[in-house]
Amino acid sequence: MTQKGTWMVKEGFAEMFKGGVIMDVTTAEQAKIAEEAGAVAVMALERVPADIRKAGGVARMASISKIKEIMEAVSIPVMAKVRIGHIAEARILEALGVDFIDESEVLTPADDKYHINKWDFKVPFVCGARNLGEALRRIAEGAAMIRTKGEAGTGNVVEAVKHMRTVMDEIRMVQNMPDEELVTFAKNIGAPVNLVAKVKELGRLPVVNFAAGGVATPADAALMMMLGADGVFVGSGIFKSKDPAKMAKAIVMAVTYWNDPEMLLKISEDIGQPMEGLEIEELDVKLQERGW
Ligand SMILES: O=C(CO)[C@H](O)[C@H](O)COP(=O)(O)O
């Protein structure tokens, strides 16, 4: 019997992306570049985060025609973003038949208190997190995949590193915690105790955890894998670089060969000019602060 939208299917689908790169794309042409480079999925959106930053204003779910154009162009899974808490955008994307929904801080939040109850949907969701508590709250709401937030659109990997290190540190802490401390720890990080206990049992998050936000070179992508990411999301780092096709392939290779310095050297030799980066201290808006 075919089962659609069960937890096992959603979580298992996310598992299939492990060791891969998911690329933000804004056109059918970019989607084809991503597919040819070996992306495991694409994320359809109106603008990459660096351009969302520049444009300002309210960033919403991409237009349906844009998402359709991308879905028709490639055979790999297509993800698309909705605003935090925007149940209607999510219902529309589910009706459209996208493969995954990203409830993303990169778009302007629609609800200043609540995320979507993702259990209500058959389509799986990925959500951003900066620490274990945030990750487990999203999983409690039904997210089948987590990505650390980083600071999208900056080409600066420092926040992605901070968030991945924080999550991994907290997981190590939980692993070494006596059971009698779990309830108080769960209260302090604002996470359900059953999920904290699950983290202790598994020694990892109960769903896959990708890195995102600010990855701009093959070395950045390899670094995130070294820190324990299951895979990497890249947006601006590819399509704001001088040679997106080359950069896309190099980042895919780097995620595969993250533990092989000789290969990383070869991969990094001829990648063209990476995107320009931004200092975090100089940002007017920190996208990572959206979501709670
Ligand atoms: O929100 C995302 C993940 O779903 C973006 O794809 C990701 O954060 C892109 O960031 P950047 O443009 O810095 O690579």
Side-chain angles (χ1 to χ4, degrees):
M1 193 176 76
T2 316
Q3 288 198 314
K4 206 178 163 212
T6 62
W7 177 249
M8 198 191 279
V9 170
K10 290 177 176 178
E11 183 204 11
F13 187 25
E15 285 270 341
M16 290 166 70
F17 298 133
K18 258 175 120 169
V21 181
I22 299 171
M23 298 183 194
D24 284 358
V25 297
T26 62
T27 61
E29 192 195 338
Q30 289 185 354
K32 283 188 190 136
I33 291 174
E35 186 173 46
E36 272 161 33
V40 289
V42 289
M43 173 81 69
L45 69 175
E46 213 66 53
R47 299 186 175 99
V48 291
D51 290 333
I52 291 177
R53 252 177 211 294
K54 265 195 207 138
V58 175
R60 309 183 181 93
M61 169 184 83
S63 69
I64 300 305
S65 58
K66 166 86 59 195
I67 302 171
K68 274 189 176 167
E69 166 194 327
I70 290 166
M71 287 169 79
E72 278 158 21
V74 292
S75 57
I76 54 177
V78 175
M79 301 183 165
K81 289 184 194 297
V82 298
R83 286 177 268 176
I84 290 174
H86 209 311
I87 305 162
E89 283 187 349
R91 288 202 180 148
I92 291 167
L93 288 190
E94 182 168 58
L96 177 61
V98 300
D99 296 295
F100 233 98
I101 294 179
D102 184 5
E103 188 182 17
S104 179
E105 70 284 355
V106 165
L107 304 182
T108 310
D111 192 316
D112 70 347
K113 282 197 183 66
Y114 305 110
H115 283 69
I116 295 168
N117 176 26
K118 293 159 273 287
W119 299 111
D120 277 348
F121 291 79
K122 289 206 183 316
V123 63
F125 280 72
V126 54
C127 289
R130 288 171 296 176
N131 52 50
L132 185 62
E134 202 174 3
L136 296 182
R137 285 194 291 282
R138 299 294 82 79
I139 295 167
E141 293 158 358
M145 180 178 188
I146 293 293
R147 53 173 177 75
T148 48
K149 285 178 170 174
E151 191 53 45
T154 60
N156 188 340
V157 79
V158 68
E159 297 299 293
V161 167
K162 190 198 290 177
H163 301 159
M164 188 56 72
R165 279 204 185 275
T166 302
V167 171
M168 298 314 263
D169 275 353
E170 289 175 309
I171 289 173
R172 283 187 289 268
M173 206 190 297
V174 168
Q175 267 186 295
N176 294 317
M177 203 170 274
D179 286 347
E180 66 270 20
E181 293 181 11
L182 293 182
V183 172
T184 301
F185 180 78
K187 185 191 88 175
N188 290 341
I189 66 167
V193 68
N194 63 319
L195 287 178
V196 174
K198 194 78 188 160
V199 168
K200 177 172 175 174
E201 179 196 324
L202 299 174
R204 51 161 299 133
L205 288 183
V207 301
V208 297
N209 183 23
F210 271 45
V215 173
T217 65
D220 286 350
L223 172 62
M224 297 316 302
M225 296 301 284
M226 288 171 200
L227 295 178
D230 289 318
V232 178
F233 281 90
V234 189
S236 322
I238 290 172
F239 290 104
K240 302 308 277 182
S241 72
K242 262 270 145 40
D243 189 338
K246 221 180 230 182
M247 186 61 87
K249 280 187 191 136
I251 289 179
V252 169
M253 292 287 280
V255 167
T256 304
Y257 293 104
W258 64 269
N259 205 16
D260 182 340
E262 294 300 322
M263 275 302 283
L264 288 180
L265 169 63
K266 258 191 217 147
I267 292 162
S268 304
E269 248 168 344
D270 180 26
I271 49 171
Q273 183 69 34
M275 75 175 278
E276 277 181 27
L278 298 171
E279 274 290 354
I280 305 299
E281 291 70 28
E282 286 165 18
L283 299 176
D284 293 332
V285 178
K286 284 197 189 158
L287 302 177
Q288 62 178 279
E289 288 169 0
R290 298 165 168 181
W292 25 91

